[in-house]
Amino acid sequence: MTDKTANQMWGGRFASGPDAIMEAINASISFDQRLAAQDIAGSRAHAAMLSAQGIITDKDAETIREGLLTVLSEIEGGSFQFSTALEDIHMNVEARLKEVIGEPAGRLHTGRSRNDQVATDFRLWVRDQADAAIAGLEALMRALLGQAEAGADWVMPGFTHLQTAQPVTWGHHMMAYVEMFARDKSRFEDARRRMNESPLGAAALAGTSFPIDRHATAEALGFDRPMANSLDAVSDRDFALEFLGAASICAMHLSRMAEELVIWSSAQFRFVVLSDRFSTGSSIMPQKKNPDAAELIRAKIGRIFGANVALMMVMKGLPLAYSKDMQEDKEQVFDAADNLMLALAAMTGMVGDMKANVPGLEGAAGAGFSTATDLADWLVRVLGMPFRDAHHVTGALVALAEGKGCDLPELSLSDMQGVEPRITEEVFGVLGVHNSVASRMSYGGTAPERVRQQVAAWTEKLG
């Protein structure tokens, strides 16, 4: 591009074009070309509105519409030549439109600025990503529901501090993640509702003197309404920050589950077998089957967290309205969105394919004195013992079993009566892991009946 071309884009204020360093730091086309479809959609809506308002002729509007469709087809077909000298997606599209249709292209920018244009493009793109995240979360939740339904009766250890705590069911554990990812889904849905206002027509910062119809362009682009303040419209990036905030919490949940899959698939646990599709081998150790997909999910989450912090840092010191700093809003969001969708897809695949080691889970469920709380509850319920006294007696029985190198159900009745004489044979009925989980019938509990109720409820909600 010649200096003369650059001057035409910037107007008569500048006597010479940018040098190479300024061009490099100023240009955003290397990444904001991802906004091409949104940019052209916004321009089509704007041109149609200008025509409806009598600001440009119907003929010019139709020429612009057809030209924009030509440009879009070139971009989608891969033949479009993006130019760093033209700075951004807006100038690249406008310059090519002028080559295609000539003088009417210059009328397209009437009543708008690149400030409201980029705010509109970016908001449309983030809205699309929120929709994609919602769909991805629904797919993951369905995969988890499939596991929960299959394993509503499978018993496994529940942990606190990664120490055996109480027996739970496999289905109950899967449903815990359904609840987490459902909250993530609701956060994206909430964020989408708030971001669904149109900045288009706010122009540079103060609105425009042309008789534009912002409600018409908002409706054409699927927004609920135009933004009510032009300063806010061009300088707001809350929608991107909210998306990153929701993505960060979702990523944290994905990382927690990935960590569990890494642990569960280890030789020390053997709780699950991950499919070959989401595992790799070792170049030197032929016995290895590594949970690489889970590990990479766990690692990629840092990029999403980083994007959230980075955009907060960009925005924290900016006065109203638009500042060039905001050009740094997109790469972080693009990267975070890409990695979130990849992590969701990988986790959905792993959950759908993984096979639980049901005998191994049940064996582990009974280890580590996991039914100690059931014993204490029995002492309260049957013997009328205060819970703190029952806790003390149960602790003494655990210590006794530990000294004998056995678990609680393996103690003899006489052993137990040596600690608390009133204990009867009935106590052994609550020390089995299946009895333990079946008894947890409180709402939200691990009992298979409760798990199946929750599976049914969520299956109906997801449709």
Side-chain angles (χ1 to χ4, degrees):
M1 187 181 94
T2 65
D3 282 352
K4 182 178 179 182
T5 306
N7 295 347
Q8 289 172 346
M9 291 297 175
W10 285 355
R13 167 68 178 82
F14 294 87
S16 62
D19 65 20
I21 294 174
M22 183 59 195
E23 183 177 291
I25 196 172
N26 192 51
S28 59
I29 190 60
S30 63
F31 51 86
D32 71 12
Q33 61 186 259
R34 292 185 66 165
L35 301 176
Q38 289 79 15
D39 190 73
I40 289 172
S43 289
R44 290 178 62 191
H46 186 67
M49 179 275 295
L50 292 176
S51 172
Q53 294 297 106
I55 298 170
I56 65 174
T57 66
D58 291 346
K59 180 180 179 181
D60 281 348
E62 178 61 20
T63 301
I64 290 169
R65 186 190 73 82
E66 291 177 357
L68 287 170
L69 290 176
T70 298
V71 175
L72 181 61
S73 68
E74 291 175 354
I75 293 172
E76 291 177 341
S79 63
F80 190 94
Q81 296 296 311
F82 291 102
S83 168
T84 303
L86 290 170
E87 296 184 30
D88 56 30
I89 186 62
H90 324 299
M91 289 303 199
N92 271 262
V93 169
E94 187 175 325
R96 178 58 183 148
L97 182 65
K98 186 172 183 179
E99 291 174 354
V100 172
I101 68 172
E103 188 261 349
R107 296 192 171 89
L108 174 59
H109 211 52
T110 307
R112 75 174 183 185
S113 161
R114 279 194 293 177
N115 293 355
D116 62 331
Q117 191 177 358
V118 69
T120 303
D121 294 358
F122 195 27
R123 196 173 283 252
L124 287 170
W125 191 92
V126 174
R127 189 179 71 182
D128 289 343
Q129 294 306 301
D131 289 339
I134 290 164
L137 281 162
E138 288 176 348
L140 176 53
M141 290 168 68
R142 288 190 178 95
L144 287 163
L145 286 170
Q147 287 285 350
E149 186 172 26
D153 293 299
W154 302 344
V155 182
M156 66 177 289
F159 299 95
T160 61
H161 310 280
L162 203 56
Q163 305 293 312
T164 299
Q166 294 177 292
V168 297
T169 54
W170 171 266
H172 193 56
H173 200 109
M174 295 299 107
M175 291 305 296
Y177 282 108
V178 170
E179 294 291 334
M180 291 185 205
F181 293 126
R183 291 193 297 273
D184 293 327
K185 176 174 172 286
S186 72
R187 273 183 279 271
F188 283 113
E189 289 167 342
D190 289 344
R192 191 196 191 283
R193 278 191 289 272
R194 269 184 293 277
M195 73 177 67
N196 205 35
E197 296 183 340
S198 175
L200 191 57
L205 76 162
T208 176
S209 59
F210 289 98
I212 62 172
D213 184 349
R214 293 189 62 210
H215 291 275
T217 51
E219 182 178 355
L221 294 170
F223 289 113
D224 294 330
R225 64 192 68 84
M227 295 183 74
N229 184 284
S230 60
L231 289 167
D232 181 46
V234 298
S235 63
D236 167 51
R237 294 299 182 270
D238 292 2
F239 64 93
L241 287 166
E242 250 196 296
F243 173 82
L244 291 176
S248 294
I249 298 173
C250 179
M252 177 268 293
H253 289 150
L254 287 167
S255 187
R256 291 184 71 182
M257 188 165 196
E259 172 72 5
E260 291 209 309
L261 294 183
V262 170
I263 293 171
W264 288 358
S265 62
S266 69
Q268 290 71 30
F269 272 71
R270 298 183 186 273
F271 282 4
V272 299
V273 176
L274 300 178
S275 74
D276 291 348
R277 292 200 308 149
F278 296 98
S279 307
T280 64
S282 166
S283 62
I284 191 172
M285 295 170 284
Q287 84 281 9
K288 293 293 292 298
K289 185 176 182 181
N290 300 324
D292 281 11
E295 291 172 353
L296 288 166
I297 289 173
R298 192 174 58 187
K300 284 180 177 295
I301 296 322
R303 297 170 69 152
I304 298 171
F305 289 176
N308 193 13
V309 173
L311 185 53
M312 285 281 195
M313 294 301 290
V314 168
M315 297 301 298
K316 72 174 183 62
L318 300 186
L320 294 179
Y322 181 83
S323 297
K324 192 67 171 180
D325 309 52
M326 291 183 193
Q327 185 169 290
E328 291 297 309
D329 58 2
K330 296 169 199 66
E331 285 180 284
Q332 304 288 346
V333 178
F334 291 161
D335 186 71
D338 289 346
N339 281 285
L340 177 67
M341 294 310 301
L342 185 58
L344 282 170
M347 185 60 79
T348 302
M350 280 190 293
V351 169
D353 286 359
M354 70 181 178
K355 303 298 182 186
N357 174 9
V358 179
L361 289 168
E362 184 166 335
F369 311 107
S370 66
T371 55
T373 306
D374 298 278
L375 173 56
D377 289 346
W378 183 89
L379 293 171
V380 172
R381 189 172 59 252
V382 176
L383 302 185
M385 192 177 290
F387 183 79
R388 285 301 169 200
D389 294 346
H391 187 282
H392 178 76
V393 169
T394 301
L397 288 170
V398 167
L400 178 62
E402 197 168 35
K404 287 177 172 287
C406 67
D407 211 334
L408 283 173
E410 296 165 333
L411 287 174
S412 67
L413 180 59
S414 61
D415 286 335
M416 292 192 181
Q417 289 176 337
V419 175
E420 171 48 61
R422 293 179 293 164
I423 293 176
T424 67
E425 191 78 28
E426 181 187 337
V427 76
F428 291 99
V430 303
L431 295 181
V433 291
H434 285 282
N435 289 335
S436 174
V437 296
S439 71
R440 307 292 174 182
M441 279 291 294
S442 57
Y443 181 79
T446 193
E449 184 179 337
R450 288 299 193 195
V451 171
R452 290 191 177 93
Q453 289 172 353
Q454 290 299 312
V455 169
W458 273 111
T459 300
E460 184 177 354
K461 285 179 188 176
L462 289 174

